[in-house]
Amino acid sequence: MTTTLDSPRRKASAYLYRKPKLRLGILLSAPMLWLGLAYLGALAALFVTAFWTTDAFTGQVVTEWSMDNFVTLFSDAVYRTITLRTVGIAALVTVITAIIAFPMAFYMAKFASPRARRLLVIAVMTPLWASYLVKAYAWRTMLSGNGVLHWLLKPFGLDTPGYGVLATVITLSYLWLPYMILPIYAGLERLPNSLVDASGDLGARPFRTFRSVVLPVTFPVIVAGSIFTFSLSLGDYIAVKIVGGTSQMLGNVVYDNIGAANNLPFAATVATVPVVIMLAYLAAVRRTGALDNL
């Protein structure tokens, strides 16, 4: 009886052994099914909901196709301003984090000893272990009128920027800095020291070596890090609530329309804007090879 049962199993195992692609397909079937239902399905539902409306009297969702939400979104100057502000903040945060992250990552990859390198990597990752809210409220405390920055800048006749767009940029730059440092560090670690040495042997000055050797090789990893910082800043709504003062970003509009306004279709319409922006951004950076470094 055991021999009879084992025979089909052996045949099936032998068949699967000869078909590696089939084995891989069976192995990935469950995760891909989950991805299709939980992620892509939810994203499709978001796009469908964006074309619905809300009854102004009852507050119920009207499942009839309409372009009214998109007309309101693109015709109202307030939403255009919020969109431009959100993209501007995300771009500025990306630039600031890249400027700060590159020298730190370069030192970690090329100058630090193995022991110091491990400690620096842990130091960079440590803020990721802390709560988002704790870090955001810590910056709210430091940016307040009687906070640490006020105490440090007061002898020089300066003061804190207070709460607003600048405070949002500072907070988001701190929050997402590790996501820029780690990809750049990984890329610089793969950069052969012989290339830098050869450039110096040929008479290139340090800036020329950086511009002609280091930057072209590491540019894809910088772009890879920017995907994280740009997308995370584009969809953030908590930091601007905590330190943004009266400023608003697209995430706040989505949050307010889901909560106080109870207008889920319009919230879904606004939520499509960051998605479309990120799809366009990913299409633009695809040619740089940055996606291969993720």
Side-chain angles (χ1 to χ4, degrees):
M1 184 68 178
T2 304
T3 305
T4 305
L5 291 175
D6 287 346
S7 181
R9 292 176 183 175
R10 288 198 186 98
K11 290 180 180 179
S13 299
Y15 179 77
L16 290 175
Y17 181 78
R18 295 192 301 268
K19 301 289 185 179
K21 291 185 178 180
L22 180 60
R23 290 203 316 270
L24 181 62
I26 295 174
L27 181 64
L28 295 179
S29 59
M32 293 302 294
L33 181 63
W34 174 257
L35 174 66
L37 293 177
Y39 183 73
L40 298 180
L43 196 60
L46 172 72
F47 286 128
V48 171
T49 307
F51 291 94
W52 294 345
T53 56
T54 301
D55 187 280
F57 181 72
T58 63
Q60 299 296 317
V61 175
V62 180
T63 57
E64 295 179 359
W65 293 92
S66 173
M67 294 293 294
D68 292 347
N69 292 330
F70 289 95
V71 171
T72 302
L73 180 64
F74 292 113
S75 62
D76 197 319
V78 173
Y79 297 119
R80 290 200 302 270
T81 301
I82 292 175
T83 301
L84 292 175
R85 180 188 299 128
T86 303
V87 175
I89 289 175
L92 187 57
V93 167
T94 299
V95 172
I96 291 174
T97 52
I99 292 173
I100 297 174
F102 194 92
M104 295 176 63
F106 192 81
Y107 175 80
M108 290 165 58
K110 298 301 178 185
F111 293 100
S113 64
R115 175 181 169 81
R117 188 178 303 145
R118 289 192 293 268
L119 293 175
L120 288 172
V121 170
I122 293 173
V124 169
M125 296 182 63
T126 298
L128 298 178
W129 304 340
S131 169
Y132 177 104
L133 289 175
V134 170
K135 293 181 288 187
Y137 274 106
W139 272 104
R140 178 180 175 86
T141 302
M142 288 189 291
L143 292 167
S144 65
N146 56 353
V148 175
L149 287 181
H150 172 76
W151 178 73
L152 291 174
L153 296 175
K154 187 176 180 180
F156 303 98
L158 302 174
D159 204 350
T160 67
Y163 304 136
V165 172
L166 182 57
T168 303
V169 170
I170 293 173
T171 303
L172 291 178
S173 298
Y174 169 78
L175 291 172
W176 311 141
L177 182 60
Y179 295 97
M180 182 65 80
I181 294 176
L182 295 176
I184 296 177
Y185 164 72
L188 287 170
E189 201 173 29
R190 295 194 298 266
L191 175 66
N193 293 330
S194 58
L195 289 178
V196 180
D197 295 337
S199 177
D201 293 340
L202 292 172
R205 295 179 179 275
F207 180 76
R208 178 64 185 273
T209 300
F210 171 77
R211 182 170 58 87
S212 302
V213 178
V214 178
L215 189 58
V217 175
T218 57
F219 181 73
V221 296
I222 297 175
V223 177
S226 75
I227 294 173
F228 292 110
T229 58
F230 187 78
S231 61
L232 290 171
S233 300
L234 202 64
D236 190 88
Y237 72 97
I238 300 176
V240 71
K241 281 281 189 182
I242 295 174
V243 299
T246 59
S247 303
Q248 280 192 313
M249 295 174 66
L250 288 172
N252 302 117
V253 180
V254 174
Y255 178 81
D256 292 339
N257 277 277
I258 291 176
N262 192 28
N263 192 344
L264 182 61
F266 188 73
T269 304
V270 178
T272 60
V273 176
V275 175
V276 172
I277 292 174
M278 279 309 304
L279 288 175
Y281 186 70
L282 291 174
V285 304
R286 183 173 176 268
R287 297 182 178 180
T288 67
L291 299 182
D292 297 332
N293 293 276
L294 292 177

